[in-house]
Structure formats: C-alpha cells, structure tokens
Amino acid sequence: CPTNTTVSNDQPGKSYYSETYCTGQATLDSCGSDDMCENAACGRSTYVDDAPTICCPGDATVYLNTPSVSYRSAYYCTGLSVGQACGSNDMCVSDICVGNVCLEEAQDSLEPCDEDEDCSGLACGLQTWTTTSSRVCCPTNTTVSNDRPDSSYYSETYCTGQATLDSCGSDDMCE
C-alpha cells in the first residue's frame, strides 16, 4: 500500500468475510468505510438506491433515509454538483436541493421548493389553501401555519398574501 497502512472491512456483499484494504484512497475511489479514504468520507455517490459507495468529493457525509425505503438509512456524499441526485441541502455544493436534484442557486418567487432555505426570500409554503396546492417560494416572502382544508388535526405552512375571494384558512393568509 502506498500509505503503508491497511484497514480490515467486510467484503462487499459478504458481511461474514473480512478483507484487508489499503487506506488513503483518493476521491471517487470505491470504499467500504471512512478510514479507507484520504478525506475520511465514504458514502453513496448520489441519492439513488443503487449508487456506488465512494470516497466522497466533499469532506463529509450525511446520514439519510434511502430514497425508496424510509426505514433504511445510509451515508451519502456531500459536495455534489448541480444536477446530481440529492436527499438534502447538505449534500449539494450550492446547499440547494429541490425535488431531489442539486440546483445552482435559491429558487425565485413561485418556483418549486421543499423548505425555506430553497428560496431566495427564505419562505416556502403551499401556494393556496386547497388540498391540491403545490409547495412554492412565496411571493410575499412570508408564510403562516394553518390547519389544512381537509383536516383540523394537521397543519401546513401556507404563503401569505392570498388575493381577495381566494379560499383561505385564516385572516393571516389574506392580503
């Protein structure tokens, strides 16, 4: 080994059999644990179920539920570029992950969002007080928490500034 150090890890797909591997693996090399990588960050390359485990381009990983099975979790690489599949803002160089894709910059008014940090105005909410409304960056840059139109037990975050005659759940939602 170039680094003169090794680490023992389970062989991929065979947790009952351990193998010795070189440490100091370069970014994007295959890995089985953090201590195999020169930057100590081994994770799935992108936020897809069958993504390979590599020494990450960023110097860290995030622990998230897998994309298709919410009761399974894995470590995913940070430092992902625009257009790569992501599961949280922390995975992207830009710190913006919307719809599971790293974006270059924060979204403008009425563009899709998942959370406040995705928006240039730092306000992400349901556009209207309906059961079919989509989550967007709010034009007024403010939100209000209100009961959902289909349930008084659950609340959601809605954009404020609803126009006259639009349905609303409280006065705080209206212009």
Side-chain angles (χ1 to χ4, degrees):
C1 291
T3 60
N4 293 324
T5 57
T6 59
V7 63
S8 289
N9 282 321
D10 292 339
Q11 196 174 34
K14 299 178 182 178
S15 60
Y16 55 86
Y17 182 73
S18 199
E19 188 73 45
T20 301
Y21 297 93
C22 294
T23 60
Q25 300 295 320
T27 299
L28 304 180
D29 282 354
S30 181
C31 61
S33 67
D34 288 344
D35 49 3
M36 288 177 67
C37 302
E38 70 183 355
N39 67 353
C42 178
R44 295 213 178 171
S45 60
T46 61
Y47 193 66
V48 291
D49 285 323
D50 59 351
T53 304
I54 62 166
C55 294
C56 297
D59 290 336
T61 57
V62 292
Y63 193 66
L64 301 171
N65 290 339
T66 58
S68 63
V69 184
S70 63
Y71 57 84
R72 254 190 227 145
S73 300
Y75 287 96
Y76 292 90
C77 291
T78 62
L80 301 183
S81 303
V82 170
Q84 289 189 284
C86 55
S88 77
N89 288 346
D90 294 334
M91 292 179 69
C92 305
V93 169
S94 64
D95 287 322
I96 305 293
C97 175
V98 177
N100 294 338
V101 176
C102 291
L103 300 180
E104 187 171 346
E105 56 189 25
Q107 299 282 74
D108 289 328
S109 177
L110 298 177
E111 290 186 308
C113 59
D114 296 325
E115 56 187 279
D116 290 342
E117 291 75 17
D118 298 339
C119 303
S120 57
L122 298 176
C124 177
L126 292 171
Q127 186 174 4
T128 58
W129 193 67
T130 63
T131 57
T132 59
S133 185
S134 56
R135 197 166 293 285
V136 298
C137 294
C138 299
T140 60
N141 296 334
T142 57
T143 59
V144 64
S145 182
N146 203 46
D147 290 342
R148 292 178 6 187
D150 61 346
S151 173
S152 60
Y153 295 108
Y154 300 104
S155 64
E156 277 286 357
T157 302
Y158 295 90
C159 294
T160 61
Q162 302 294 320
T164 303
L165 302 180
D166 280 355
S167 63
C168 63
S170 72
D171 291 343
D172 294 338
M173 293 176 67
C174 303
E175 294 180 319

